[in-house]
Amino acid sequence: MPKHSKVTQREQSTEHVTESVADLLALEEPVDYRQSVLNVAGENWNKQQDVDDTGEDRPAWNNKLQYILAQIGYSVGLGNVWRFPYLCQKNGGGAYLVPYLVLLILIGIPLFFLELAVGQRIRRGSIGVWNYVCPRLGGIGFASCLVCLFVGLYYNVIIGWSIFYFFKSFQYPLPWSECPVIRNGTVATVEPECDKSSATTYFWYRDALDISNSINESGGLNWRMTLCLLAAWSIVGLAMIKGIQSSGKVMYFSSLFPYVVLICFLVRGLLLRGAIDGILHMLTPKLDKMLDLQVWREAATQVFFALGLGFGGVIAFSSYNKQDNNCHFDAALVSFINFFTSILATLVVFAVLGFKANVMNEKCVVENAEKILGYLNTNVLSHALIPPQVNFSHLTAKDYTEMYGVIKTVKKDHFDKLGLDPCLLEDELNKSVQGTGLAFIAFTEAMTHFPASPFWSVMFFLMLINLGLGSMIGTMAGITTPIIDMFKVRKEALTVGCCIFAFFVGLIFVQRSGNYFVNMFDDYSATLPLTLVVILENIAVAWIYGTKKFMQELTEMLGFRPYRFYFYTWKYISPICMAGLMTASVIQLAVSPPGYNAWIREEAAEKYLYYPKWAMGILVSLIILATLPLPVVFILRQFHLVSDGSNALSVTYKKGRIMKDISNLEDNDETRFILSKVPSETPSPMPTHRSYLGPGSTSPMEMSSVANGRYSSGYLTATTPESEL
């Protein structure tokens, strides 16, 4: 052996000596890596010790329950509480559940399973996963990170709003239960803006947001909402500071507490007068809606976003799993828990809205009965028009409807001048509210009529905070996990840096016109980019990596072969459905010019306005910026302007074992044999796949050393995603 050879240096020194795979294989005879390991020192290899030495001590969930709760907390969010009930009401009640379930099975579960599987198999964040599966489509991971950033910026503002209402709930009566009174000496008048709308609407738009009349009017920062936003980012930062070690523990509370509140609200709601009316209204199917393509498009969009597909959070969470975890079971379990939560939330919402509709209908009857009495006293109407059984001191909705019908028939020529309303319960139930309108206006108004209303208000907004926090943890994991994997930065520093950056950028959402920017980001920053991302994820696995190869990988990883159903959904059904959704979304955007609902103070009403040119520029920039990594990375790697990283492997000696170290090697380097990235390009005796022996058996990688080669030594390859997939 030459005196100054690297192997001699390794034997005489404990320092790291790095050699390329080309240097090592140049002196070695061909070997079957399944039958050999490198153990130069001749010592027994301990798997855990090797993991510690290589630095591949990737964090892991403490137990399966913690992981499932994390996935549930991420997928079950504010959309389940205020988006699904609205879509159910709008699109045919119980009939909407049919297209939703069909699309959940055809799109949701297969794609959710796909993301869980690639994350668990490759054990990297979204950037590392898609760089490995298809380097030319590595922009998928970067696009996911950008979309997570856009969503996280405005999503945490909603948590800030919930914090504001949470602290305002600790008083009786609730501050949004009555309109404020303006006193001018001895004269007291109700605030005109509140008098024209309602107490809860006024509190939301004027007291909480202090909203401007349009997006063109900035109005400066709302200092109370700025403090709430700071509190929201502080909570997220503390939950994420230690990675899954801290966020996993938070999930025990943030994932389970919303179910406790929803069940309490359901029980309380069912005891309210009129709750059954609301639930029956929700469950009554309008079968003609099932033939409407718009209903299927909205159902597909809801399935898509409800499971958090494309964000990278699902991949990030699953990357901390053991390789033999049954992610197929996890995909089905989390998907159906998500669906169950949406149904539970819808029952709660419609029970409460049924109660609210009855209260508002009774108020309508009383107000219009007073008008009729006034007309009777001034002889505008004759007493003969009033049915004999009608008692104005105890007027029921049925009696009023009969009286209204008689007056309308007799006075049909002058009926419009009377200004009477029909006061139909169905009309109240058909008033569609969603998003912030449901949570901060309709629901808060209903709670003012609850006994012990502050208690229920505190519980409701604490639930919203926890739902938002669970989703934010997953969204932040979609940003931090791939960055930590790629650049090896400290998670604490990265988390603090991300939260500080997001807070200052998020100040745009807490100015007086901030609500309009929240709506812009919510409507346009994620829909098209994420749809494109998921389509490319599906294509990368099913058509480029290969569905058969991927199914074989899953068989080795899980110990059983997944159903053929997944083969056909991944290869044909899901890409076609997602392409249809993408096309429909583009058409919808082209047909309906982007706009927003502005609150006009003088009219005390909402008015639909189109975005000005500068706002349209921001909107288009968001979409372009989120999708830009896809073509950029493809071009850079297609023309070899940057390395794809797939062949960048060298090894480092330490304590007689080989460990992984990344460096840049040439495209024709022998690492192609080890990585098996393109097995068809270079003949190799090494098989593409390693046999799955079960979680309790000995892997071929861990077999005892068999002498071979010139130095009577075998290869020990570190357990890395690149060598396993």
Side-chain angles (χ1 to χ4, degrees):
M1 180 81 56
K3 181 178 180 180
H4 300 292
S5 71
K6 292 181 179 179
V7 176
T8 304
Q9 292 176 15
R10 172 184 54 77
E11 293 175 347
Q12 297 177 354
S13 174
T14 59
E15 297 180 358
H16 293 302
V17 181
T18 302
E19 284 187 346
S20 69
V21 175
D23 293 335
L24 289 170
L25 296 184
L27 300 175
E28 291 293 320
E29 297 173 0
V31 296
D32 187 344
Y33 78 102
R34 293 175 302 173
Q35 303 298 327
S36 60
V37 294
L38 177 63
N39 194 335
V40 180
E43 59 187 57
N44 292 328
W45 175 56
N46 179 278
K47 183 177 181 179
Q48 184 61 43
Q49 182 183 358
D50 184 70
V51 169
D52 294 338
D53 290 340
T54 59
E56 288 295 311
D57 51 342
R58 187 173 184 79
W61 300 103
N62 291 338
N63 51 64
K64 182 66 174 282
L65 176 62
Q66 190 180 83
Y67 163 68
I68 293 295
L69 289 178
Q71 289 287 14
I72 292 172
Y74 175 52
S75 65
V76 175
L78 298 174
N80 297 77
V81 175
W82 66 33
R83 179 70 178 168
F84 187 91
Y86 161 75
L87 292 175
C88 193
Q89 178 190 24
K90 175 186 174 185
N91 295 318
Y96 172 74
L97 300 180
V98 175
Y100 185 88
L101 263 177
V102 170
L103 292 170
L104 178 66
I105 294 171
L106 293 181
I107 298 178
I109 296 178
L111 293 179
F112 191 62
F113 178 32
L114 184 146
E115 290 201 356
L116 289 179
V118 295
Q120 179 175 310
R121 183 63 166 163
I122 303 176
R123 294 177 64 79
R124 290 291 182 271
S126 56
I127 295 177
V129 161
W130 301 114
N131 274 342
Y132 176 77
V133 172
C134 179
R136 288 177 177 81
L137 292 181
I140 293 174
F142 293 97
S144 295
C145 287
L146 282 174
V147 173
C148 281
L149 175 62
F150 293 156
V151 171
L153 286 174
Y154 78 83
Y155 204 89
N156 225 22
V157 176
I158 301 174
I159 298 179
W161 293 342
S162 302
I163 292 173
F164 176 80
Y165 269 80
F166 173 75
F167 285 106
K168 284 287 185 179
S169 299
F170 288 95
Q171 49 187 301
Y172 184 83
L174 291 171
W176 51 82
S177 59
E178 297 176 352
C179 284
V181 176
I182 301 174
R183 298 190 179 276
N184 186 9
T186 58
V187 180
T189 57
V190 177
E191 169 65 46
E193 186 181 3
C194 184
D195 192 38
K196 293 178 183 177
S197 54
S198 68
T200 50
T201 304
Y202 173 83
F203 185 86
W204 166 241
Y205 282 119
R206 190 55 50 210
D207 202 315
L209 299 181
D210 193 19
I211 199 167
S212 60
N213 283 358
S214 73
I215 198 172
N216 286 313
E217 303 173 25
S218 169
L221 290 177
N222 181 334
W223 67 269
R224 290 184 296 181
M225 286 303 168
T226 303
L227 293 178
C228 290
L229 180 63
L230 178 62
W233 277 114
S234 299
I235 294 172
V236 171
L238 290 174
M240 291 291 298
I241 194 71
K242 293 293 185 181
I244 63 170
Q245 279 78 15
S246 56
S247 62
K249 294 179 175 62
V250 172
M251 286 298 182
Y252 284 113
F253 181 77
S254 65
S255 297
L256 295 176
F257 180 75
Y259 289 96
V260 175
V261 177
L262 284 174
I263 292 172
C264 290
F265 262 100
L266 181 61
V267 173
R268 184 67 187 92
L270 291 174
L271 298 176
L272 294 171
R273 174 173 41 88
I276 300 300
D277 295 327
I279 293 176
L280 290 177
H281 177 77
M282 185 269 288
L283 294 177
T284 303
K286 300 179 179 66
L287 298 179
D288 58 306
K289 288 281 190 179
M290 291 178 59
L291 302 177
D292 189 350
L293 290 178
Q294 178 71 4
V295 173
W296 287 81
R297 185 187 75 84
E298 293 189 343
T301 304
Q302 179 62 18
V303 167
F304 181 75
F305 285 103
L307 294 174
L309 300 174
F311 284 93
V314 173
I315 294 176
F317 281 161
S318 65
S319 72
Y320 299 117
N321 270 333
K322 296 179 180 178
Q323 289 247 329
D324 59 353
N325 174 62
N326 189 349
C327 56
H328 174 260
F329 172 78
D330 299 343
L333 178 65
V334 174
S335 298
F336 281 108
I337 288 178
N338 187 292
F339 177 67
F340 164 76
T341 307
S342 297
I343 298 297
L344 176 62
T346 302
L347 291 174
V348 171
V349 167
F350 276 92
V352 173
L353 292 183
F355 165 71
K356 175 179 175 288
N358 273 267
V359 171
M360 299 305 294
N361 195 56
E362 289 177 0
K363 183 180 178 182
C364 176
V365 168
V366 171
E367 290 176 351
N368 284 272
E370 291 177 353
K371 289 182 182 180
I372 293 174
L373 280 175
Y375 293 141
L376 292 173
N377 293 333
T378 56
N379 296 322
V380 175
L381 293 176
S382 170
H383 286 274
L385 298 176
I386 309 302
Q389 77 276 9
V390 172
N391 182 355
F392 278 93
S393 60
H394 297 88
L395 188 65
T396 64
K398 182 179 179 181
D399 290 340
Y400 174 79
T401 301
E402 183 181 353
M403 183 170 57
Y404 176 86
V406 172
I407 296 173
K408 185 177 183 180
T409 302
V410 175
K411 294 286 186 179
K412 58 182 178 181
D413 295 334
H414 307 286
F415 182 77
D416 292 339
K417 296 180 180 179
L418 298 177
L420 297 178
D421 297 317
C423 296
L424 296 176
L425 182 63
E426 190 73 14
D427 292 342
E428 287 292 335
L429 290 171
N430 281 330
K431 290 181 179 178
S432 298
V433 285
Q434 65 161 322
T436 54
L438 174 62
F440 298 105
I441 298 178
F443 222 86
T444 52
E445 184 173 352
M447 285 188 294
T448 59
H449 302 286
F450 281 20
S453 55
F455 168 77
W456 294 105
S457 183
V458 167
M459 293 285 284
F460 176 72
F461 288 109
L462 186 58
M463 178 190 72
L464 290 188
I465 292 171
N466 279 276
L467 284 172
L469 180 61
S471 297
M472 272 302 299
I473 288 175
T475 302
M476 287 292 290
I479 300 173
T480 59
T481 299
I483 293 177
I484 291 172
D485 288 342
M486 187 171 185
F487 300 106
K488 306 301 179 185
V489 297
R490 291 189 57 185
K491 63 175 74 74
E492 294 86 353
L494 179 62
T495 301
V496 172
C498 285
C499 291
I500 293 174
F501 170 78
F503 168 73
F504 282 106
V505 175
L507 292 178
I508 188 177
F509 302 109
V510 291
Q511 53 184 341
R512 289 183 58 200
S513 60
N515 186 49
Y516 306 137
F517 287 97
V518 170
N519 291 332
M520 176 195 291
F521 273 65
D522 187 33
D523 292 338
Y524 301 106
S525 69
T527 304
L528 288 178
L530 275 187
T531 307
L532 181 58
V533 161
V534 175
I535 291 173
L536 293 177
E537 287 183 358
N538 201 164
I539 291 173
V541 172
W543 290 92
I544 299 177
Y545 191 80
T547 311
K548 291 182 178 179
K549 182 179 178 182
F550 187 58
M551 291 288 282
Q552 178 62 28
E553 298 282 353
L554 292 180
T555 304
E556 295 172 357
M557 184 172 71
L558 300 176
F560 63 89
R561 188 172 185 83
Y563 301 116
R564 295 287 294 178
F565 163 78
Y566 292 106
F567 179 90
Y568 294 109
T569 52
W570 287 333
K571 198 169 184 67
Y572 304 110
I573 299 175
S574 294
I576 293 173
C577 291
M578 294 302 298
L581 175 60
M582 180 79 176
T583 304
S585 299
V586 172
I587 293 174
Q588 179 72 16
L589 187 62
V591 171
S592 303
Y596 62 101
N597 288 315
W599 179 257
I600 309 302
R601 182 169 191 167
E602 293 73 23
E603 301 174 9
E606 288 185 339
K607 183 178 180 181
Y608 190 81
L609 301 177
Y610 294 114
Y611 285 114
K613 291 182 179 180
W614 64 266
M616 283 294 296
I618 295 177
L619 187 152
V620 173
S621 298
L622 289 174
I623 298 175
I624 293 175
L625 186 60
T627 55
L628 191 61
L630 300 170
V632 169
V633 173
F634 180 84
I635 292 172
L636 291 176
R637 289 179 175 168
Q638 175 68 26
F639 296 100
H640 306 289
L641 300 177
V642 296
S643 171
D644 63 12
S646 63
N647 61 342
L649 179 70
S650 67
V651 292
T652 301
Y653 292 113
K654 182 181 180 184
K655 298 181 182 179
R657 286 186 294 276
I658 287 184
M659 288 157 293
K660 182 172 72 72
D661 185 32
I662 301 301
S663 63
N664 293 322
L665 301 180
E666 298 298 327
D667 288 343
N668 61 353
D669 196 277
E670 287 85 351
T671 53
R672 291 290 184 184
F673 289 100
I674 291 182
L675 293 175
S676 298
K677 287 292 290 185
V678 190
S680 60
E681 292 182 3
T682 51
S684 172
M686 300 181 186
T688 305
H689 303 290
R690 171 169 66 87
S691 299
Y692 179 84
L693 301 177
S697 58
T698 304
S699 167
M701 295 295 189
E702 302 170 33
M703 295 175 64
S704 59
S705 176
V706 178
N708 67 81
R710 195 162 299 179
Y711 304 117
S712 298
S713 61
Y715 286 100
L716 169 64
T717 56
T719 304
T720 64
E722 291 82 2
S723 61
E724 286 184 354
L725 187 62

